[in-house]
Amino acid sequence: MERDQRRFVGREGELAILERLFGDDPPYSVVHVHGPGGIGKSTLLRQAAHEGERRGWTCHWVEGRDLPPTPEALEQALAPALADARPLVLLDTYERMSATSPYLRDVLLPGLPAAGAVIIAGRTPPDAGWFSNGWETVTTDLALGGLDEGDALSLVAALGVPGGEAASRIVRWAHGSPLALSLGADAQVAGAAEDAVEPTADKEVVASLIRRVVAAELEGAHPRALAAATIARVVTPDLLAAVLAGEGDPLAAYEWLRSRSFVEPLGGGLTLHEVVRRAMLVDLRLKDVALEHELRRGIADHLHARAVAGNALLMIDLAHLVEEPVVRWGFSWEGSTRFRVDTMGPGDAVTIDALMAGRGIPGWIDMTRRFLEEAPEVPIVVRDVAGQVLGHALSVTPAGAPAAADEDPLLGPWLSHARAQDDRRAVLWRESLDHTQEPEQVVQAMNGLAGMLRSGLSNVRYAYMPIPPQARRALEFARALGGRHEASLDSYLGPAPVQCWILDYGPGGLLGTQRDFVYRELGLTPPSDPGPTASDGPVDAEAVRAALRDFHKPLELARSPLASGTSPVERAEAVRARLRGAIDQAFGASADEQLMRSVLERGYLAQDTSLESAALELHLSRATFFRRLKRAVDRVVAVLAG
């Protein structure tokens, strides 16, 4: 505890909220502290426990990692607190026992003495049950964010790193995470700061970092799945099935990952805590660079196949695999843990007008007023958690451009040029600016990716970029992606001259360029563009039935006549995409039609059930289920083989 006290910095506001529990007339008796892993929840609880004990409370600590998520286990753990006169109950890692929340609310906590207090710490906000049926009068929640720069520097100093560039580098890398600050400071003290902050690590230092964070949870590990999660932005059962190459059960590996404390839900899958991921990625490259290359390639193939089959959002995950800093400067989603993209509001426009004037571009709001009035969805901003504007962008497409864009002095001629190319798969920026002073400029990168995502195009072919002649990093980005300077379209943003650079991503579009960049970084020759995801002609009926039966067997699918593409991963995913498209066409909207579709999806597309259990889930007899399944298969065959 003494060591904790020496190393605890900041959090004055959060501590004040918790200390109100110890007053004579507290406004609440239950506090939910929530935030991502490594943000300092446990440390804050220890400080609250220290203060509670100092004021005469008895602390009862329950650690979710050590407790089965059952009412009986929770009741046994809290029995001493229920018998105490003035208990302070601290439930840490609550996400591991959140299933017991109803029992905790309805049975256990009402049995606490009136003077008792409860602090619950977990990764997710409290569920709605904590704010109904009277609990709303005694409950509050406390979202824990990262430390600000001053507190982060103080923590690094307390950990043995004096001020200066070394401390500043660790603070920039950690982004306010106390865990990351601690790991970076430990590496600095060990004489290997760059090993923690940059991916060029000394083996022993990285091993030490990993032992500290995750070693206790690696028992029963699925090493190939863990390595994939270290590389990919998000892992899903489908991704694991594609890259495990028959080495283990992908669903079992996925469930194992989900149960680790350093793994968090993200989107439709799982992601490693960023600090852990960085350390483990260094370790993977030191121990088995061939495996890292094999998995990175397989992940890129899987994501590319799914993206060209219709899931354009996966360009975020493909961007994550590209490591070239010049490319990541203009196109990545790295800042999404701290920032968010939003539509520009009137107040934002006033703020940006002042920022642009500071850049030597006065009257920006007058140049943009028509967009704000007629197409308010077009200009975007990037905000921090407090809502402050950190960057902004304005982009359009030839098909979706509002009238204001056609009449804009910069965008108007560019739109005419793009339309003359007879290819509407273009995104044109009037501006894209990062207003922070961060050297990484992750806001700029989010602007670039957000413009692509919001364009509505499934696979962008061209990008028109306005680049001031002195903008070195923007020019490096354009050249790295094969851009050309179209001098005839050079223009002005207000009084500022800008050059027009056009990026042509080729027949494979942006998605193909992303995959190919990963290949080149791995020293591999990129595959030729596979063209359409599947042939347009009919196929043999038995091939359709076989593909449905083999839906979760990638190697068999890759041999199917329905397949297209070059790699086995691409070919298998193309078959799945074609089957899903046929299913969308094969069934109507009535209840009977949708039941038939459910029978097919539970019978073949679901991976976690048998046909018999699927029949039970749908409340059908076995005979009825199989009769409807045959009819449903015939429908899909008719679509694809007709």
Side-chain angles (χ1 to χ4, degrees):
M1 177 57 77
E2 182 180 347
R3 186 169 180 264
D4 261 358
Q5 293 294 314
R6 290 198 311 270
R7 292 187 166 193
F8 188 80
V9 299
R11 305 297 195 198
E12 289 85 0
E14 292 88 343
L15 275 175
I17 291 172
L18 296 180
E19 288 174 2
R20 295 184 72 181
L21 288 167
F22 310 134
D24 294 333
D25 186 21
Y28 36 75
S29 56
V30 179
V31 180
H32 284 265
V33 179
H34 54 92
I39 205 66
K41 299 182 294 294
S42 297
T43 303
L44 185 64
L45 258 63
R46 288 194 292 270
Q47 293 300 312
H50 174 76
E51 181 63 21
E53 288 175 341
R54 191 183 69 81
R55 298 194 188 195
W57 294 63
T58 303
C59 293
H60 300 270
W61 195 288
V62 179
E63 170 55 64
R65 291 190 185 94
D66 303 330
L67 199 69
T70 64
E72 296 79 12
L74 187 59
E75 182 173 3
Q76 183 177 358
L78 290 180
L82 297 173
D84 201 339
R86 205 178 201 192
L88 173 60
V89 176
L90 302 116
L91 302 176
D92 200 8
T93 322
Y94 188 67
E95 66 272 9
R96 293 291 189 91
M97 53 178 131
S98 59
T100 63
S101 285
Y103 188 75
L104 181 65
R105 285 192 300 264
D106 298 342
V107 178
L108 295 182
L109 293 189
L112 279 178
V118 182
I119 305 177
I120 299 173
R123 296 190 178 188
T124 58
D127 64 68
W130 290 103
F131 299 99
S132 61
N133 298 322
W135 283 103
E136 70 277 8
T137 64
V138 296
T139 302
T140 191
D141 72 305
L142 174 58
L144 208 57
L147 297 174
D148 62 30
E149 183 177 359
D151 287 340
L153 286 168
S154 296
L155 177 56
V156 170
L159 294 168
V161 181
E165 177 54 29
S168 297
R169 184 173 64 249
I170 293 169
V171 168
R172 288 197 301 270
W173 172 75
H175 297 311
S177 164
L179 174 60
L181 291 164
S182 180
L183 293 176
D186 284 356
Q188 176 69 30
V189 171
E194 291 185 1
D195 297 344
V197 178
E198 302 294 339
T200 56
D202 174 87
K203 191 170 184 177
E204 291 306 314
V205 172
V206 174
S208 174
L209 298 182
I210 294 174
R211 280 196 299 271
R212 174 175 171 179
V213 180
V214 303
E217 296 188 64
L218 294 184
E219 183 178 351
H222 294 256
R224 193 176 178 95
L226 184 60
T230 298
I231 297 166
R233 173 178 173 266
V234 177
V235 292
T236 63
D238 280 350
L239 185 146
L240 291 179
V243 301
L244 289 186
E247 296 183 19
D249 179 355
L251 286 178
Y254 186 82
E255 289 304 317
W256 179 85
L257 282 171
R258 183 159 61 179
S259 67
R260 305 304 95 182
S261 69
F262 54 86
V263 174
E264 301 171 338
L266 180 63
L270 304 172
T271 188
L272 267 61
H273 185 285
E274 182 61 15
V275 174
V276 175
R277 190 192 70 79
R278 293 177 191 177
M280 295 191 74
L281 181 57
V282 174
D283 191 58
L284 174 62
R285 286 172 172 165
L286 286 166
K287 291 178 178 177
D288 196 343
V289 69
L291 176 62
E292 193 271 341
H293 282 196
E294 177 192 344
L295 290 174
R296 188 176 295 273
R297 175 184 177 176
I299 292 167
D301 285 341
H302 172 76
L303 294 174
H304 176 260
R306 290 191 60 211
V308 298
N311 191 349
L313 278 173
L314 289 176
M315 73 174 69
I316 295 176
D317 299 72
L318 280 167
H320 174 83
L321 297 177
V322 175
E323 298 193 318
E324 170 56 55
V326 171
V327 176
R328 292 183 68 83
W329 172 88
F331 199 78
S332 85
W333 209 239
E334 185 179 352
S336 63
T337 57
R338 297 182 290 143
F339 311 131
R340 60 185 174 91
V341 175
D342 197 5
T343 302
M344 186 183 297
D348 301 326
V350 173
T351 298
I352 293 168
D353 187 52
L355 291 169
M356 296 297 280
R359 289 175 174 264
I361 306 176
W364 174 88
I365 200 166
D366 295 324
M367 293 186 284
T368 314
R369 196 177 306 280
R370 280 195 63 190
F371 288 95
L372 297 170
E373 293 174 350
E374 299 173 14
E377 73 284 356
V378 170
I380 64 168
V381 295
V382 178
R383 308 184 192 277
D384 62 13
V385 293
Q388 179 183 357
V389 173
L390 303 179
H392 83 280
L394 192 158
S395 61
V396 298
T397 64
D406 282 295
E407 297 170 21
D408 184 85
L410 186 151
L411 284 177
W414 291 15
L415 283 165
S416 297
H417 183 274
R419 289 166 180 150
Q421 306 307 304
D422 197 28
D423 191 329
R424 301 299 178 92
R425 295 183 298 155
V427 176
L428 302 87
W429 271 268
R430 194 187 78 173
E431 57 209 83
S432 176
L433 293 164
D434 185 331
H435 297 301
T436 72
Q437 301 301 313
E438 292 190 356
E440 297 87 355
Q441 290 203 308
V442 295
V443 170
Q444 177 64 60
M446 290 184 70
N447 277 339
L449 195 46
M452 298 294 190
L453 291 170
R454 293 167 66 97
S455 71
L457 301 173
S458 61
N459 194 4
V460 174
R461 170 71 187 264
Y462 299 101
Y464 287 63
M465 298 175 54
I467 302 180
Q470 73 279 8
R472 175 185 59 84
R473 297 183 74 177
L475 290 168
E476 289 175 348
F477 171 79
R479 289 172 180 140
L481 291 172
R484 73 176 191 275
H485 176 201
E486 186 65 46
S488 65
L489 293 177
D490 287 354
S491 186
Y492 290 86
L493 182 61
V498 293
Q499 296 176 351
C500 177
W501 281 76
I502 300 177
L503 278 60
D504 180 356
Y505 295 117
L510 172 61
L511 299 173
T513 294
Q514 290 180 293
R515 177 204 56 191
D516 292 352
F517 222 99
V518 174
Y519 267 70
R520 293 189 185 98
E521 288 185 335
L522 296 175
L524 302 171
T525 301
S528 58
D529 179 69
T533 58
S535 61
D536 295 328
V539 295
D540 179 70
E542 184 51 38
V544 178
R545 295 186 177 92
L548 284 168
R549 290 194 298 269
D550 295 334
F551 194 83
H552 296 290
K553 299 176 181 177
L555 293 180
E556 295 299 324
L557 286 186
R559 301 186 185 103
S560 169
L562 280 69
S564 66
T566 54
S567 72
V569 171
E570 284 183 337
R571 291 177 62 80
E573 195 58 42
V575 177
R576 292 191 183 108
R578 198 167 184 189
L579 290 174
R580 291 188 183 104
I583 291 169
D584 287 340
Q585 297 178 47
F587 303 102
S590 70
D592 189 64
E593 290 281 301
Q594 288 301 300
L595 177 59
M596 196 185 312
R597 176 174 181 160
S598 296
V599 166
L600 179 72
E601 290 176 337
R602 295 301 291 161
Y604 288 119
L605 273 61
Q607 193 172 9
D608 58 349
T609 188
S610 66
L611 295 180
E612 287 75 12
S613 61
L616 289 174
E617 290 171 12
L618 294 172
H619 306 292
L620 298 174
S621 69
R622 190 175 186 279
T624 301
F625 177 86
F626 280 98
R627 187 168 57 252
R628 287 179 178 264
L629 182 61
K630 182 182 182 304
R631 287 173 55 200
V633 170
D634 289 343
R635 290 281 192 91
V636 177
V637 168
V639 171
L640 288 173

